[in-house]
Amino acid sequence: MKQIVFEECPYCHSKLLAAGYQNDGGAVYSDFRGGVFGTAVQHTVCIECGSIVYSRVLRVDGFKEFLTDEGREYREKIEKEKPKKKKEGILEIIVDD
């Protein structure tokens, strides 16, 4: 996941930014009907004006199976464009009992 960094508040231009976390009742779940495992939300908060400058979930793995059709197509396109890794020699170990 890419890290997005803000150097100043876009509202009051203060450079006093801090990270805060939202969890428990404010966790984000991947699927409302069956989602059991949620993830905390990280906020970048301006200490001067109190604005939430940026928010993100900490773990995106639980959301991958719930992509929209457009998101799924985009992900498949990106996977096809990635250079394929060369397979190196496979080492087989045989252990006698």
Side-chain angles (χ1 to χ4, degrees):
M1 179 176 0
K2 293 181 182 179
Q3 181 70 22
I4 297 174
V5 178
F6 284 88
E7 293 184 13
E8 69 177 30
C9 174
Y11 306 107
C12 72
H13 305 290
S14 170
K15 295 188 182 295
L16 298 175
L17 302 176
Y21 299 88
Q22 181 177 348
N23 201 351
D24 295 331
V28 177
Y29 295 89
S30 57
D31 181 22
F32 182 76
R33 296 174 309 258
V36 178
F37 301 104
T39 180
V41 179
Q42 179 187 39
H43 300 288
T44 301
V45 180
C46 175
I47 300 302
E48 289 289 319
C49 70
S51 296
I52 296 175
V53 176
Y54 176 72
S55 298
R56 71 183 191 120
V57 296
L58 294 181
R59 294 186 317 260
V60 297
D61 294 340
F63 295 91
K64 290 180 181 176
E65 65 183 89
F66 298 102
L67 285 172
T68 62
D69 290 338
E70 294 85 13
R72 196 170 288 114
E73 289 172 7
Y74 179 73
R75 185 173 179 202
E76 289 171 1
K77 177 183 172 189
I78 288 176
E79 291 297 322
K80 287 179 184 176
E81 292 175 356
K82 282 184 181 178
K84 304 223 180 201
K85 294 182 180 178
K86 292 182 181 178
K87 290 186 179 180
E88 298 196 17
I90 297 173
L91 175 63
E92 184 176 334
I93 300 174
I94 300 173
V95 179
D96 291 331
D97 290 326

